[in-house]
């Protein structure tokens, strides 16, 4: 589906927004350019060395005047030098450049996965802020209705004016919370516009909810597939291959290098053609420093890879536990706490209208319901955030 087209109901799905962000975000475009640069490096590594041509010419005049050698003439010399590349050095250099391409592709995949996860988290944060704003609006409306009832009771002399002052204070507090919640919703909207580089319209809507089901493979299956799908592990493995090939390249560079030489010489009397070899022998310096540096760099990458494999595995375990905790909290609040709090508020409102309960009882039950609804929304958001982290670790996201 084209992401520029609105989803059903005039709003975008989570996958639509993720695709739009993956297509428009500038950081992702920069990561793609790094892949192109690495592929150009393979072309450079595969190139053969160019020959070197030297041309020399000059006049040939007599040096001793008592000897007559005839008129002066020109002498010319052309020398061609062609390096013969060490095949082991060439092979290691090309394979190292190809490993660099794989590392760049893995880095691009990591950037995609990170951006898709950020987009998903920001989408559900927008839904969280919007849900909190709707809750604060409901509370503001409830406080406004209670304020009107108390005002009528004060005017009729049924209750003291102190009750109206307290109700006015609660209405102003509810209005302040409502305004803050609306501003936070707008901030979350702007954050999504920023991540999608303006590809979303300013007044977009999201066809999703915090209660969307989370479907993931089992933990055992995730543990099995993670080493093969995590982009950072893939990048470090490619880096490990490249550093190992660099060691091979530096060690092969110790072998003597050979140049083929051909020279053509002409003067007034003679023409000569000479061919030969130029051999550079590493007698005094055998690239010990370069080899040691390559070995140390390979050890650094290997140790980093081992640690990140362990750490990413622990991150998966932590995200899974966070998801399970959030899931249990959602079930707990949806299963009874919120329903009971709503029922208690309805009873308190009815008793207040009948004059059997005071304003304080309604206010207390309203606060209990507000806390329960806030906890439910937060738990749903944490569930979606943990699922987004797991998808980030295994690089699972909608394809562009």
């Amino acid at each position: 589906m084209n992401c520029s087209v609105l989803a059903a109901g005039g709003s975008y799905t989570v996958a639509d927004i993720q695709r739009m962000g993956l297509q428009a975000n500038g950081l992702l475009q920069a990561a793609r350019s790094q892949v192109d640069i690495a592929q150009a490096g393979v072309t450079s590594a595969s190139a053969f060395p160019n020959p070197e041509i030297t041309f020399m010419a000059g006049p040939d005049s007599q040096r001793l005047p008592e000897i007559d050698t005839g008129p002066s003439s020109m002498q010319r010399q052309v020398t061609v030098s062609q390096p013969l590349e060490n095949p082991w050095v060439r092979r290691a250099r090309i394979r190292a450049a190809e490993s660099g391409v794989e590392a760049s592709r893995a880095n691009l995949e990591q950037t995609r996965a990170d951006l898709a996860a950020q987009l998903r988290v920001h989408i559900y944060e927008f839904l969280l802020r919007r849900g909190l704003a709707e809750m604060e609006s409901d509370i503001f409306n409830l406080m406004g209705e209670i304020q009107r009832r108390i005002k009528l009771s004060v005017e009729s002399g049924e209750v003291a004016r102190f009750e109206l002052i307290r109700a006015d204070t609660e209405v102003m507090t509810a209005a302040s919370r409502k305004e803050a919640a609306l501003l936070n919703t707008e901030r979350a909207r702007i954050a999504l516009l920023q991540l999608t580089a303006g590809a979303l319209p300013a007044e977009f809507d999201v066809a999703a909810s915090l209660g969307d089901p989370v479907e993931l493979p089992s933990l055992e299956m995730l543990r099995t597939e993670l080493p093969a799908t995590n982009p950072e592990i893939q990048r470090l493995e490619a880096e490990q291959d490249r550093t190992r090939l660099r060691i091979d390249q530096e060690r092969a560079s110790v072998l003597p290098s050979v140049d083929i030489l051909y020279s053509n010489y002409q003067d007034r009397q003679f023409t000569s053609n000479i061919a030969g070899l130029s051999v550079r022998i590493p007698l005094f310096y055998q690239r010990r420093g370069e080899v040691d540096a390559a070995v140390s760099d390979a050890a650094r990458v290997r140790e980093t890879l081992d640690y990140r494999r362990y750490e990413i595995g622990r991150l998966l375990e932590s995200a899974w536990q966070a998801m399970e905790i959030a899931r249990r909290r959602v079930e707990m609040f949806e299963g009874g706490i919120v329903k009971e709090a709503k029922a208690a508020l309805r009873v308190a409102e009815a008793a207040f209208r009948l004059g059997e309960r005071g304003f304080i009882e309604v206010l207390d039950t309203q606060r209990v319901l507000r806390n329960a609804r806030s906890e439910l929304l937060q738990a749903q958001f944490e569930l979606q955030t943990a699922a987004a982290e797991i998808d980030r670790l295994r690089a699972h996201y909608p394809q562009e």
Side-chain angles (χ1 to χ4, degrees), residues 210-286:
L210 285 171
D212 288 343
V214 173
E215 298 179 357
L216 290 171
S218 66
L219 181 58
E220 290 300 325
M221 187 177 297
L222 289 172
R223 288 192 189 118
T224 302
E225 71 175 24
L226 191 64
T229 58
N230 183 266
E232 186 172 2
I233 292 177
Q234 293 176 347
R235 179 183 63 81
L236 287 171
E237 288 175 343
E239 290 284 350
Q240 186 180 42
D241 292 340
R242 183 164 61 175
T243 55
R244 187 178 64 250
L245 290 165
R246 183 188 166 198
I247 296 174
D248 296 340
Q249 180 180 346
E250 294 296 341
R251 287 175 175 168
S253 298
V254 178
L255 299 175
S257 58
V258 180
D259 293 350
I260 296 178
L261 302 176
Y262 169 76
S263 178
N264 173 266
Y265 173 81
Q266 294 181 5
D267 61 15
R268 183 175 59 183
Q269 293 182 333
F270 301 101
T271 297
S272 65
N273 294 290
I274 302 173
L277 297 175
S278 173
V279 181
R280 186 179 296 108
I281 302 174
L283 183 61
F284 299 106
Y285 183 63
Q286 298 183 349

Side-chain angles (χ1 to χ4, degrees), residues 25 49 60 66-67 148 157 188 264 290 306 336 399:
N25 190 275
D60 183 12
E66 63 274 10
I67 301 176
R148 288 191 294 272
N264 173 266
E290 286 81 355
D306 292 341
Q399 296 299 317

